[in-house]
Amino acid sequence: VQLVESGGGLVQAGRSLRLSCVASGTIFSITTMAWYRQAPGKQRELVARITNSGNTNYADSVKGRFTISRDNAKNTVYLQMNDLKPEDTAVYYCWNNWLSSNYWGQGTQVTVSS
């Protein structure tokens, strides 16, 4: 399984970014996908998850601001991030579990300035 993220960058607080993750080597349409993030000095945490049927769940800190979605035809999962805050600054990772193994992308840096 290979996961390739894109879309990170430097933005001002209150602005938006959209992250993308293209997956290969898995049957994308039947697998759960997720976004995690890791800030400096902190543990990696779950941001949002979407099942193959489209059910979603979010970390409390991003509810109402972030939206996870998927396009099975493109083997791609997205994370729309609105009203970004400095505390959202982190490296964001795409995640997939396939055949009982966890897979991670290389990560994309999101930096939010105040």
PDB file of all heavy atoms in Angstrom, residues 1-7 18-24 26 28 33-35 68-72 74-79 92-96 103-108:
ATOM      1  N   VAL A   1       0.852  -1.184   0.000  1.00  0.00           N
ATOM      2  CA  VAL A   1       0.000   0.000   0.000  1.00  0.00           C
ATOM      3  C   VAL A   1       0.893   1.242   0.000  1.00  0.00           C
ATOM      4  O   VAL A   1       1.844   1.327   0.765  1.00  0.00           O
ATOM      5  CB  VAL A   1      -0.923   0.030   1.229  1.00  0.00           C
ATOM      6  CG1 VAL A   1      -1.723   1.325   1.265  1.00  0.00           C
ATOM      7  CG2 VAL A   1      -1.858  -1.189   1.212  1.00  0.00           C
ATOM      8  N   GLN A   2       0.547   2.184  -0.843  1.00  0.00           N
ATOM      9  CA  GLN A   2       1.270   3.451  -0.886  1.00  0.00           C
ATOM     10  C   GLN A   2       0.268   4.589  -0.736  1.00  0.00           C
ATOM     11  O   GLN A   2      -0.779   4.605  -1.389  1.00  0.00           O
ATOM     12  CB  GLN A   2       2.035   3.608  -2.195  1.00  0.00           C
ATOM     13  CG  GLN A   2       2.973   4.795  -2.210  1.00  0.00           C
ATOM     14  CD  GLN A   2       3.854   4.823  -3.455  1.00  0.00           C
ATOM     15  OE1 GLN A   2       3.533   4.211  -4.463  1.00  0.00           O
ATOM     16  NE2 GLN A   2       4.959   5.543  -3.379  1.00  0.00           N
ATOM     17  N   LEU A   3       0.607   5.536   0.128  1.00  0.00           N
ATOM     18  CA  LEU A   3      -0.245   6.688   0.386  1.00  0.00           C
ATOM     19  C   LEU A   3       0.572   7.944   0.137  1.00  0.00           C
ATOM     20  O   LEU A   3       1.652   8.103   0.717  1.00  0.00           O
ATOM     21  CB  LEU A   3      -0.743   6.676   1.829  1.00  0.00           C
ATOM     22  CG  LEU A   3      -1.477   5.409   2.285  1.00  0.00           C
ATOM     23  CD1 LEU A   3      -1.738   5.452   3.786  1.00  0.00           C
ATOM     24  CD2 LEU A   3      -2.789   5.254   1.539  1.00  0.00           C
ATOM     25  N   VAL A   4       0.069   8.821  -0.704  1.00  0.00           N
ATOM     26  CA  VAL A   4       0.802  10.036  -1.059  1.00  0.00           C
ATOM     27  C   VAL A   4      -0.071  11.248  -0.765  1.00  0.00           C
ATOM     28  O   VAL A   4      -1.112  11.433  -1.397  1.00  0.00           O
ATOM     29  CB  VAL A   4       1.219  10.024  -2.533  1.00  0.00           C
ATOM     30  CG1 VAL A   4       1.985  11.295  -2.875  1.00  0.00           C
ATOM     31  CG2 VAL A   4       2.080   8.793  -2.834  1.00  0.00           C
ATOM     32  N   GLU A   5       0.378  12.058   0.215  1.00  0.00           N
ATOM     33  CA  GLU A   5      -0.366  13.259   0.606  1.00  0.00           C
ATOM     34  C   GLU A   5       0.126  14.474  -0.157  1.00  0.00           C
ATOM     35  O   GLU A   5       1.274  14.528  -0.589  1.00  0.00           O
ATOM     36  CB  GLU A   5      -0.219  13.542   2.106  1.00  0.00           C
ATOM     37  CG  GLU A   5      -0.630  12.425   3.020  1.00  0.00           C
ATOM     38  CD  GLU A   5       0.550  11.752   3.662  1.00  0.00           C
ATOM     39  OE1 GLU A   5       1.637  11.755   3.034  1.00  0.00           O
ATOM     40  OE2 GLU A   5       0.423  11.240   4.784  1.00  0.00           O
ATOM     41  N   SER A   6      -0.768  15.448  -0.243  1.00  0.00           N
ATOM     42  CA  SER A   6      -0.409  16.748  -0.805  1.00  0.00           C
ATOM     43  C   SER A   6      -1.367  17.791  -0.256  1.00  0.00           C
ATOM     44  O   SER A   6      -2.408  17.443   0.314  1.00  0.00           O
ATOM     45  CB  SER A   6      -0.465  16.725  -2.337  1.00  0.00           C
ATOM     46  OG  SER A   6      -1.772  16.423  -2.780  1.00  0.00           O
ATOM     47  N   GLY A   7      -0.993  19.067  -0.427  1.00  0.00           N
ATOM     48  CA  GLY A   7      -1.903  20.142  -0.073  1.00  0.00           C
ATOM     49  C   GLY A   7      -1.545  20.942   1.155  1.00  0.00           C
ATOM     50  O   GLY A   7      -2.224  21.919   1.476  1.00  0.00           O
ATOM     51  N   ARG A  18      -6.974  22.395   1.820  1.00  0.00           N
ATOM     52  CA  ARG A  18      -7.507  21.072   1.542  1.00  0.00           C
ATOM     53  C   ARG A  18      -6.352  20.104   1.298  1.00  0.00           C
ATOM     54  O   ARG A  18      -5.533  20.326   0.400  1.00  0.00           O
ATOM     55  CB  ARG A  18      -8.444  21.053   0.337  1.00  0.00           C
ATOM     56  CG  ARG A  18      -9.148  19.706   0.183  1.00  0.00           C
ATOM     57  CD  ARG A  18     -10.156  19.677  -0.928  1.00  0.00           C
ATOM     58  NE  ARG A  18      -9.538  19.479  -2.232  1.00  0.00           N
ATOM     59  CZ  ARG A  18     -10.171  18.946  -3.276  1.00  0.00           C
ATOM     60  NH1 ARG A  18     -11.439  18.581  -3.162  1.00  0.00           N
ATOM     61  NH2 ARG A  18      -9.543  18.812  -4.429  1.00  0.00           N
ATOM     62  N   LEU A  19      -6.313  19.065   2.086  1.00  0.00           N
ATOM     63  CA  LEU A  19      -5.313  18.009   1.923  1.00  0.00           C
ATOM     64  C   LEU A  19      -5.896  16.880   1.081  1.00  0.00           C
ATOM     65  O   LEU A  19      -7.102  16.598   1.160  1.00  0.00           O
ATOM     66  CB  LEU A  19      -4.880  17.455   3.282  1.00  0.00           C
ATOM     67  CG  LEU A  19      -4.372  18.462   4.308  1.00  0.00           C
ATOM     68  CD1 LEU A  19      -3.925  17.727   5.570  1.00  0.00           C
ATOM     69  CD2 LEU A  19      -3.263  19.315   3.755  1.00  0.00           C
ATOM     70  N   SER A  20      -5.033  16.249   0.311  1.00  0.00           N
ATOM     71  CA  SER A  20      -5.424  15.093  -0.494  1.00  0.00           C
ATOM     72  C   SER A  20      -4.480  13.938  -0.213  1.00  0.00           C
ATOM     73  O   SER A  20      -3.297  14.150   0.086  1.00  0.00           O
ATOM     74  CB  SER A  20      -5.362  15.426  -1.989  1.00  0.00           C
ATOM     75  OG  SER A  20      -6.217  16.495  -2.318  1.00  0.00           O
ATOM     76  N   CYS A  21      -5.011  12.732  -0.335  1.00  0.00           N
ATOM     77  CA  CYS A  21      -4.194  11.531  -0.164  1.00  0.00           C
ATOM     78  C   CYS A  21      -4.644  10.518  -1.213  1.00  0.00           C
ATOM     79  O   CYS A  21      -5.808  10.102  -1.214  1.00  0.00           O
ATOM     80  CB  CYS A  21      -4.352  10.954   1.233  1.00  0.00           C
ATOM     81  SG  CYS A  21      -3.595   9.325   1.457  1.00  0.00           S
ATOM     82  N   VAL A  22      -3.716  10.158  -2.087  1.00  0.00           N
ATOM     83  CA  VAL A  22      -3.999   9.158  -3.112  1.00  0.00           C
ATOM     84  C   VAL A  22      -3.440   7.817  -2.652  1.00  0.00           C
ATOM     85  O   VAL A  22      -2.262   7.724  -2.277  1.00  0.00           O
ATOM     86  CB  VAL A  22      -3.383   9.556  -4.460  1.00  0.00           C
ATOM     87  CG1 VAL A  22      -3.686   8.504  -5.506  1.00  0.00           C
ATOM     88  CG2 VAL A  22      -3.898  10.921  -4.900  1.00  0.00           C
ATOM     89  N   ALA A  23      -4.268   6.797  -2.688  1.00  0.00           N
ATOM     90  CA  ALA A  23      -3.882   5.469  -2.229  1.00  0.00           C
ATOM     91  C   ALA A  23      -3.726   4.516  -3.411  1.00  0.00           C
ATOM     92  O   ALA A  23      -4.463   4.589  -4.394  1.00  0.00           O
ATOM     93  CB  ALA A  23      -4.930   4.922  -1.274  1.00  0.00           C
ATOM     94  N   SER A  24      -2.764   3.624  -3.285  1.00  0.00           N
ATOM     95  CA  SER A  24      -2.588   2.555  -4.279  1.00  0.00           C
ATOM     96  C   SER A  24      -2.208   1.273  -3.536  1.00  0.00           C
ATOM     97  O   SER A  24      -1.736   1.314  -2.404  1.00  0.00           O
ATOM     98  CB  SER A  24      -1.517   2.926  -5.301  1.00  0.00           C
ATOM     99  OG  SER A  24      -0.273   3.163  -4.665  1.00  0.00           O
ATOM    100  N   THR A  26      -4.299  -1.038  -2.553  1.00  0.00           N
ATOM    101  CA  THR A  26      -5.380  -1.482  -1.694  1.00  0.00           C
ATOM    102  C   THR A  26      -6.683  -1.387  -2.472  1.00  0.00           C
ATOM    103  O   THR A  26      -6.745  -0.673  -3.473  1.00  0.00           O
ATOM    104  CB  THR A  26      -5.450  -0.603  -0.425  1.00  0.00           C
ATOM    105  OG1 THR A  26      -6.498  -1.077   0.425  1.00  0.00           O
ATOM    106  CG2 THR A  26      -5.748   0.851  -0.772  1.00  0.00           C
ATOM    107  N   PHE A  28      -9.444   0.379  -2.479  1.00  0.00           N
ATOM    108  CA  PHE A  28      -9.773   1.627  -1.785  1.00  0.00           C
ATOM    109  C   PHE A  28     -11.237   1.682  -1.373  1.00  0.00           C
ATOM    110  O   PHE A  28     -11.561   2.130  -0.269  1.00  0.00           O
ATOM    111  CB  PHE A  28      -9.434   2.807  -2.695  1.00  0.00           C
ATOM    112  CG  PHE A  28      -9.631   4.142  -2.043  1.00  0.00           C
ATOM    113  CD1 PHE A  28      -8.653   4.673  -1.217  1.00  0.00           C
ATOM    114  CD2 PHE A  28     -10.792   4.870  -2.266  1.00  0.00           C
ATOM    115  CE1 PHE A  28      -8.832   5.905  -0.607  1.00  0.00           C
ATOM    116  CE2 PHE A  28     -10.978   6.102  -1.667  1.00  0.00           C
ATOM    117  CZ  PHE A  28      -9.996   6.622  -0.836  1.00  0.00           C
ATOM    118  N   MET A  33     -10.354   4.957   5.729  1.00  0.00           N
ATOM    119  CA  MET A  33      -9.234   5.872   5.604  1.00  0.00           C
ATOM    120  C   MET A  33      -9.297   6.899   6.733  1.00  0.00           C
ATOM    121  O   MET A  33     -10.365   7.177   7.268  1.00  0.00           O
ATOM    122  CB  MET A  33      -9.275   6.607   4.261  1.00  0.00           C
ATOM    123  CG  MET A  33      -9.205   5.719   3.041  1.00  0.00           C
ATOM    124  SD  MET A  33      -7.629   4.852   2.880  1.00  0.00           S
ATOM    125  CE  MET A  33      -6.487   6.226   2.704  1.00  0.00           C
ATOM    126  N   ALA A  34      -8.148   7.454   7.065  1.00  0.00           N
ATOM    127  CA  ALA A  34      -8.125   8.430   8.155  1.00  0.00           C
ATOM    128  C   ALA A  34      -6.990   9.423   7.965  1.00  0.00           C
ATOM    129  O   ALA A  34      -6.033   9.166   7.223  1.00  0.00           O
ATOM    130  CB  ALA A  34      -7.972   7.732   9.505  1.00  0.00           C
ATOM    131  N   TRP A  35      -7.131  10.549   8.645  1.00  0.00           N
ATOM    132  CA  TRP A  35      -6.078  11.553   8.762  1.00  0.00           C
ATOM    133  C   TRP A  35      -5.667  11.645  10.226  1.00  0.00           C
ATOM    134  O   TRP A  35      -6.521  11.733  11.111  1.00  0.00           O
ATOM    135  CB  TRP A  35      -6.562  12.913   8.285  1.00  0.00           C
ATOM    136  CG  TRP A  35      -6.722  13.026   6.807  1.00  0.00           C
ATOM    137  CD1 TRP A  35      -7.864  12.867   6.086  1.00  0.00           C
ATOM    138  CD2 TRP A  35      -5.693  13.334   5.861  1.00  0.00           C
ATOM    139  NE1 TRP A  35      -7.620  13.045   4.756  1.00  0.00           N
ATOM    140  CE2 TRP A  35      -6.283  13.346   4.582  1.00  0.00           C
ATOM    141  CE3 TRP A  35      -4.329  13.603   5.967  1.00  0.00           C
ATOM    142  CZ2 TRP A  35      -5.575  13.619   3.421  1.00  0.00           C
ATOM    143  CZ3 TRP A  35      -3.616  13.881   4.809  1.00  0.00           C
ATOM    144  CH2 TRP A  35      -4.229  13.879   3.554  1.00  0.00           C
ATOM    145  N   ILE A  68     -13.879  15.431   6.318  1.00  0.00           N
ATOM    146  CA  ILE A  68     -13.206  14.358   5.588  1.00  0.00           C
ATOM    147  C   ILE A  68     -14.176  13.818   4.545  1.00  0.00           C
ATOM    148  O   ILE A  68     -15.376  13.687   4.800  1.00  0.00           O
ATOM    149  CB  ILE A  68     -12.706  13.243   6.531  1.00  0.00           C
ATOM    150  CG1 ILE A  68     -11.823  12.249   5.790  1.00  0.00           C
ATOM    151  CG2 ILE A  68     -13.862  12.548   7.235  1.00  0.00           C
ATOM    152  CD1 ILE A  68     -11.114  11.250   6.704  1.00  0.00           C
ATOM    153  N   SER A  69     -13.653  13.523   3.354  1.00  0.00           N
ATOM    154  CA  SER A  69     -14.472  12.963   2.284  1.00  0.00           C
ATOM    155  C   SER A  69     -13.595  12.048   1.442  1.00  0.00           C
ATOM    156  O   SER A  69     -12.369  12.036   1.583  1.00  0.00           O
ATOM    157  CB  SER A  69     -15.080  14.080   1.430  1.00  0.00           C
ATOM    158  OG  SER A  69     -14.069  14.850   0.813  1.00  0.00           O
ATOM    159  N   ARG A  70     -14.258  11.300   0.566  1.00  0.00           N
ATOM    160  CA  ARG A  70     -13.511  10.374  -0.271  1.00  0.00           C
ATOM    161  C   ARG A  70     -14.121  10.308  -1.665  1.00  0.00           C
ATOM    162  O   ARG A  70     -15.327  10.508  -1.833  1.00  0.00           O
ATOM    163  CB  ARG A  70     -13.474   8.969   0.359  1.00  0.00           C
ATOM    164  CG  ARG A  70     -14.824   8.299   0.502  1.00  0.00           C
ATOM    165  CD  ARG A  70     -14.726   7.069   1.404  1.00  0.00           C
ATOM    166  NE  ARG A  70     -13.859   6.057   0.834  1.00  0.00           N
ATOM    167  CZ  ARG A  70     -13.277   5.083   1.542  1.00  0.00           C
ATOM    168  NH1 ARG A  70     -13.468   5.022   2.848  1.00  0.00           N
ATOM    169  NH2 ARG A  70     -12.520   4.190   0.940  1.00  0.00           N
ATOM    170  N   ASP A  71     -13.266  10.035  -2.632  1.00  0.00           N
ATOM    171  CA  ASP A  71     -13.684   9.816  -4.010  1.00  0.00           C
ATOM    172  C   ASP A  71     -13.132   8.448  -4.414  1.00  0.00           C
ATOM    173  O   ASP A  71     -11.945   8.319  -4.720  1.00  0.00           O
ATOM    174  CB  ASP A  71     -13.138  10.925  -4.909  1.00  0.00           C
ATOM    175  CG  ASP A  71     -13.630  10.816  -6.346  1.00  0.00           C
ATOM    176  OD1 ASP A  71     -14.012   9.708  -6.763  1.00  0.00           O
ATOM    177  OD2 ASP A  71     -13.627  11.833  -7.049  1.00  0.00           O
ATOM    178  N   ASN A  72     -13.996   7.452  -4.381  1.00  0.00           N
ATOM    179  CA  ASN A  72     -13.537   6.085  -4.651  1.00  0.00           C
ATOM    180  C   ASN A  72     -13.066   5.911  -6.090  1.00  0.00           C
ATOM    181  O   ASN A  72     -12.196   5.079  -6.371  1.00  0.00           O
ATOM    182  CB  ASN A  72     -14.636   5.084  -4.325  1.00  0.00           C
ATOM    183  CG  ASN A  72     -14.893   4.960  -2.835  1.00  0.00           C
ATOM    184  OD1 ASN A  72     -14.036   5.294  -2.014  1.00  0.00           O
ATOM    185  ND2 ASN A  72     -16.082   4.514  -2.476  1.00  0.00           N
ATOM    186  N   LYS A  74     -11.297   7.927  -7.680  1.00  0.00           N
ATOM    187  CA  LYS A  74      -9.940   8.468  -7.765  1.00  0.00           C
ATOM    188  C   LYS A  74      -9.016   7.900  -6.698  1.00  0.00           C
ATOM    189  O   LYS A  74      -7.865   8.345  -6.573  1.00  0.00           O
ATOM    190  CB  LYS A  74      -9.978   9.995  -7.636  1.00  0.00           C
ATOM    191  CG  LYS A  74     -10.710  10.688  -8.771  1.00  0.00           C
ATOM    192  CD  LYS A  74     -10.669  12.197  -8.616  1.00  0.00           C
ATOM    193  CE  LYS A  74     -11.378  12.882  -9.768  1.00  0.00           C
ATOM    194  NZ  LYS A  74     -11.347  14.357  -9.638  1.00  0.00           N
ATOM    195  N   ASN A  75      -9.508   6.951  -5.905  1.00  0.00           N
ATOM    196  CA  ASN A  75      -8.711   6.382  -4.811  1.00  0.00           C
ATOM    197  C   ASN A  75      -8.124   7.478  -3.919  1.00  0.00           C
ATOM    198  O   ASN A  75      -6.957   7.400  -3.500  1.00  0.00           O
ATOM    199  CB  ASN A  75      -7.575   5.507  -5.358  1.00  0.00           C
ATOM    200  CG  ASN A  75      -8.057   4.145  -5.780  1.00  0.00           C
ATOM    201  OD1 ASN A  75      -9.255   3.892  -5.880  1.00  0.00           O
ATOM    202  ND2 ASN A  75      -7.127   3.243  -6.050  1.00  0.00           N
ATOM    203  N   THR A  76      -8.929   8.472  -3.635  1.00  0.00           N
ATOM    204  CA  THR A  76      -8.435   9.662  -2.939  1.00  0.00           C
ATOM    205  C   THR A  76      -9.326   9.996  -1.750  1.00  0.00           C
ATOM    206  O   THR A  76     -10.553   9.932  -1.850  1.00  0.00           O
ATOM    207  CB  THR A  76      -8.366  10.863  -3.891  1.00  0.00           C
ATOM    208  OG1 THR A  76      -7.518  10.548  -4.993  1.00  0.00           O
ATOM    209  CG2 THR A  76      -7.834  12.096  -3.178  1.00  0.00           C
ATOM    210  N   VAL A  77      -8.683  10.360  -0.654  1.00  0.00           N
ATOM    211  CA  VAL A  77      -9.378  10.883   0.514  1.00  0.00           C
ATOM    212  C   VAL A  77      -8.920  12.321   0.730  1.00  0.00           C
ATOM    213  O   VAL A  77      -7.756  12.652   0.489  1.00  0.00           O
ATOM    214  CB  VAL A  77      -9.121  10.012   1.765  1.00  0.00           C
ATOM    215  CG1 VAL A  77      -7.645   9.979   2.125  1.00  0.00           C
ATOM    216  CG2 VAL A  77      -9.959  10.467   2.940  1.00  0.00           C
ATOM    217  N   TYR A  78      -9.853  13.158   1.141  1.00  0.00           N
ATOM    218  CA  TYR A  78      -9.584  14.587   1.318  1.00  0.00           C
ATOM    219  C   TYR A  78      -9.825  14.999   2.771  1.00  0.00           C
ATOM    220  O   TYR A  78     -10.596  14.379   3.489  1.00  0.00           O
ATOM    221  CB  TYR A  78     -10.514  15.415   0.421  1.00  0.00           C
ATOM    222  CG  TYR A  78     -10.423  15.075  -1.042  1.00  0.00           C
ATOM    223  CD1 TYR A  78     -11.365  14.239  -1.630  1.00  0.00           C
ATOM    224  CD2 TYR A  78      -9.414  15.598  -1.839  1.00  0.00           C
ATOM    225  CE1 TYR A  78     -11.301  13.919  -2.972  1.00  0.00           C
ATOM    226  CE2 TYR A  78      -9.338  15.290  -3.189  1.00  0.00           C
ATOM    227  CZ  TYR A  78     -10.282  14.449  -3.751  1.00  0.00           C
ATOM    228  OH  TYR A  78     -10.206  14.143  -5.081  1.00  0.00           O
ATOM    229  N   LEU A  79      -9.167  16.076   3.138  1.00  0.00           N
ATOM    230  CA  LEU A  79      -9.452  16.725   4.416  1.00  0.00           C
ATOM    231  C   LEU A  79      -9.570  18.216   4.147  1.00  0.00           C
ATOM    232  O   LEU A  79      -8.564  18.892   3.882  1.00  0.00           O
ATOM    233  CB  LEU A  79      -8.356  16.454   5.449  1.00  0.00           C
ATOM    234  CG  LEU A  79      -8.648  16.992   6.849  1.00  0.00           C
ATOM    235  CD1 LEU A  79      -9.820  16.241   7.479  1.00  0.00           C
ATOM    236  CD2 LEU A  79      -7.417  16.895   7.745  1.00  0.00           C
ATOM    237  N   TYR A  92       0.560  16.369   8.934  1.00  0.00           N
ATOM    238  CA  TYR A  92      -0.663  15.594   8.749  1.00  0.00           C
ATOM    239  C   TYR A  92      -0.342  14.341   7.938  1.00  0.00           C
ATOM    240  O   TYR A  92       0.304  14.423   6.878  1.00  0.00           O
ATOM    241  CB  TYR A  92      -1.721  16.440   8.054  1.00  0.00           C
ATOM    242  CG  TYR A  92      -2.354  17.445   8.977  1.00  0.00           C
ATOM    243  CD1 TYR A  92      -1.637  18.553   9.436  1.00  0.00           C
ATOM    244  CD2 TYR A  92      -3.671  17.290   9.423  1.00  0.00           C
ATOM    245  CE1 TYR A  92      -2.201  19.460  10.313  1.00  0.00           C
ATOM    246  CE2 TYR A  92      -4.247  18.208  10.292  1.00  0.00           C
ATOM    247  CZ  TYR A  92      -3.505  19.291  10.730  1.00  0.00           C
ATOM    248  OH  TYR A  92      -4.073  20.191  11.607  1.00  0.00           O
ATOM    249  N   TYR A  93      -0.824  13.211   8.443  1.00  0.00           N
ATOM    250  CA  TYR A  93      -0.546  11.919   7.832  1.00  0.00           C
ATOM    251  C   TYR A  93      -1.838  11.228   7.399  1.00  0.00           C
ATOM    252  O   TYR A  93      -2.826  11.204   8.146  1.00  0.00           O
ATOM    253  CB  TYR A  93       0.175  10.999   8.813  1.00  0.00           C
ATOM    254  CG  TYR A  93       1.527  11.469   9.253  1.00  0.00           C
ATOM    255  CD1 TYR A  93       1.678  12.255  10.391  1.00  0.00           C
ATOM    256  CD2 TYR A  93       2.665  11.125   8.533  1.00  0.00           C
ATOM    257  CE1 TYR A  93       2.926  12.683  10.814  1.00  0.00           C
ATOM    258  CE2 TYR A  93       3.917  11.555   8.946  1.00  0.00           C
ATOM    259  CZ  TYR A  93       4.035  12.324  10.081  1.00  0.00           C
ATOM    260  OH  TYR A  93       5.274  12.751  10.488  1.00  0.00           O
ATOM    261  N   CYS A  94      -1.789  10.638   6.245  1.00  0.00           N
ATOM    262  CA  CYS A  94      -2.862   9.775   5.763  1.00  0.00           C
ATOM    263  C   CYS A  94      -2.618   8.372   6.305  1.00  0.00           C
ATOM    264  O   CYS A  94      -1.458   7.926   6.398  1.00  0.00           O
ATOM    265  CB  CYS A  94      -2.831   9.798   4.236  1.00  0.00           C
ATOM    266  SG  CYS A  94      -4.164   8.904   3.428  1.00  0.00           S
ATOM    267  N   TRP A  95      -3.689   7.657   6.633  1.00  0.00           N
ATOM    268  CA  TRP A  95      -3.574   6.319   7.251  1.00  0.00           C
ATOM    269  C   TRP A  95      -4.547   5.369   6.588  1.00  0.00           C
ATOM    270  O   TRP A  95      -5.672   5.749   6.228  1.00  0.00           O
ATOM    271  CB  TRP A  95      -3.893   6.418   8.733  1.00  0.00           C
ATOM    272  CG  TRP A  95      -4.049   5.091   9.442  1.00  0.00           C
ATOM    273  CD1 TRP A  95      -3.077   4.392  10.087  1.00  0.00           C
ATOM    274  CD2 TRP A  95      -5.249   4.323   9.578  1.00  0.00           C
ATOM    275  NE1 TRP A  95      -3.590   3.234  10.626  1.00  0.00           N
ATOM    276  CE2 TRP A  95      -4.925   3.169  10.323  1.00  0.00           C
ATOM    277  CE3 TRP A  95      -6.561   4.485   9.140  1.00  0.00           C
ATOM    278  CZ2 TRP A  95      -5.858   2.196  10.643  1.00  0.00           C
ATOM    279  CZ3 TRP A  95      -7.499   3.516   9.455  1.00  0.00           C
ATOM    280  CH2 TRP A  95      -7.141   2.387  10.203  1.00  0.00           C
ATOM    281  N   ASN A  96      -4.102   4.124   6.501  1.00  0.00           N
ATOM    282  CA  ASN A  96      -4.949   3.051   6.026  1.00  0.00           C
ATOM    283  C   ASN A  96      -4.523   1.758   6.706  1.00  0.00           C
ATOM    284  O   ASN A  96      -3.340   1.562   6.973  1.00  0.00           O
ATOM    285  CB  ASN A  96      -4.817   2.914   4.508  1.00  0.00           C
ATOM    286  CG  ASN A  96      -5.555   1.714   3.967  1.00  0.00           C
ATOM    287  OD1 ASN A  96      -4.950   0.759   3.478  1.00  0.00           O
ATOM    288  ND2 ASN A  96      -6.869   1.732   4.059  1.00  0.00           N
ATOM    289  N   TYR A 103      -0.653   1.434   7.402  1.00  0.00           N
ATOM    290  CA  TYR A 103       0.168   2.126   6.418  1.00  0.00           C
ATOM    291  C   TYR A 103       0.012   3.629   6.612  1.00  0.00           C
ATOM    292  O   TYR A 103      -1.080   4.120   6.911  1.00  0.00           O
ATOM    293  CB  TYR A 103      -0.245   1.730   5.002  1.00  0.00           C
ATOM    294  CG  TYR A 103       0.020   0.272   4.712  1.00  0.00           C
ATOM    295  CD1 TYR A 103      -0.974  -0.682   4.922  1.00  0.00           C
ATOM    296  CD2 TYR A 103       1.261  -0.158   4.252  1.00  0.00           C
ATOM    297  CE1 TYR A 103      -0.743  -2.030   4.681  1.00  0.00           C
ATOM    298  CE2 TYR A 103       1.502  -1.500   4.008  1.00  0.00           C
ATOM    299  CZ  TYR A 103       0.501  -2.421   4.229  1.00  0.00           C
ATOM    300  OH  TYR A 103       0.738  -3.755   3.991  1.00  0.00           O
ATOM    301  N   TRP A 104       1.125   4.345   6.411  1.00  0.00           N
ATOM    302  CA  TRP A 104       1.156   5.796   6.594  1.00  0.00           C
ATOM    303  C   TRP A 104       1.754   6.449   5.363  1.00  0.00           C
ATOM    304  O   TRP A 104       2.660   5.911   4.734  1.00  0.00           O
ATOM    305  CB  TRP A 104       2.012   6.165   7.798  1.00  0.00           C
ATOM    306  CG  TRP A 104       1.525   5.588   9.088  1.00  0.00           C
ATOM    307  CD1 TRP A 104       1.890   4.408   9.653  1.00  0.00           C
ATOM    308  CD2 TRP A 104       0.573   6.187   9.979  1.00  0.00           C
ATOM    309  NE1 TRP A 104       1.220   4.210  10.831  1.00  0.00           N
ATOM    310  CE2 TRP A 104       0.408   5.300  11.068  1.00  0.00           C
ATOM    311  CE3 TRP A 104      -0.156   7.372   9.973  1.00  0.00           C
ATOM    312  CZ2 TRP A 104      -0.461   5.569  12.127  1.00  0.00           C
ATOM    313  CZ3 TRP A 104      -1.009   7.638  11.026  1.00  0.00           C
ATOM    314  CH2 TRP A 104      -1.152   6.750  12.093  1.00  0.00           C
ATOM    315  N   GLY A 105       1.258   7.650   5.073  1.00  0.00           N
ATOM    316  CA  GLY A 105       1.905   8.454   4.067  1.00  0.00           C
ATOM    317  C   GLY A 105       3.141   9.122   4.634  1.00  0.00           C
ATOM    318  O   GLY A 105       3.477   8.958   5.808  1.00  0.00           O
ATOM    319  N   GLN A 106       3.800   9.902   3.795  1.00  0.00           N
ATOM    320  CA  GLN A 106       5.041  10.557   4.218  1.00  0.00           C
ATOM    321  C   GLN A 106       4.781  11.798   5.060  1.00  0.00           C
ATOM    322  O   GLN A 106       5.694  12.308   5.719  1.00  0.00           O
ATOM    323  CB  GLN A 106       5.885  10.938   2.985  1.00  0.00           C
ATOM    324  CG  GLN A 106       5.482  12.221   2.292  1.00  0.00           C
ATOM    325  CD  GLN A 106       4.219  12.092   1.440  1.00  0.00           C
ATOM    326  OE1 GLN A 106       3.615  11.020   1.335  1.00  0.00           O
ATOM    327  NE2 GLN A 106       3.834  13.184   0.799  1.00  0.00           N
ATOM    328  N   GLY A 107       3.555  12.262   5.047  1.00  0.00           N
ATOM    329  CA  GLY A 107       3.188  13.434   5.831  1.00  0.00           C
ATOM    330  C   GLY A 107       3.286  14.715   5.024  1.00  0.00           C
ATOM    331  O   GLY A 107       4.117  14.843   4.126  1.00  0.00           O
ATOM    332  N   THR A 108       2.428  15.665   5.369  1.00  0.00           N
ATOM    333  CA  THR A 108       2.464  16.991   4.757  1.00  0.00           C
ATOM    334  C   THR A 108       2.348  18.037   5.863  1.00  0.00           C
ATOM    335  O   THR A 108       1.505  17.927   6.747  1.00  0.00           O
ATOM    336  CB  THR A 108       1.356  17.142   3.698  1.00  0.00           C
ATOM    337  OG1 THR A 108       1.499  18.396   3.019  1.00  0.00           O
ATOM    338  CG2 THR A 108      -0.039  17.041   4.280  1.00  0.00           C
TER     339      THR A 108
END
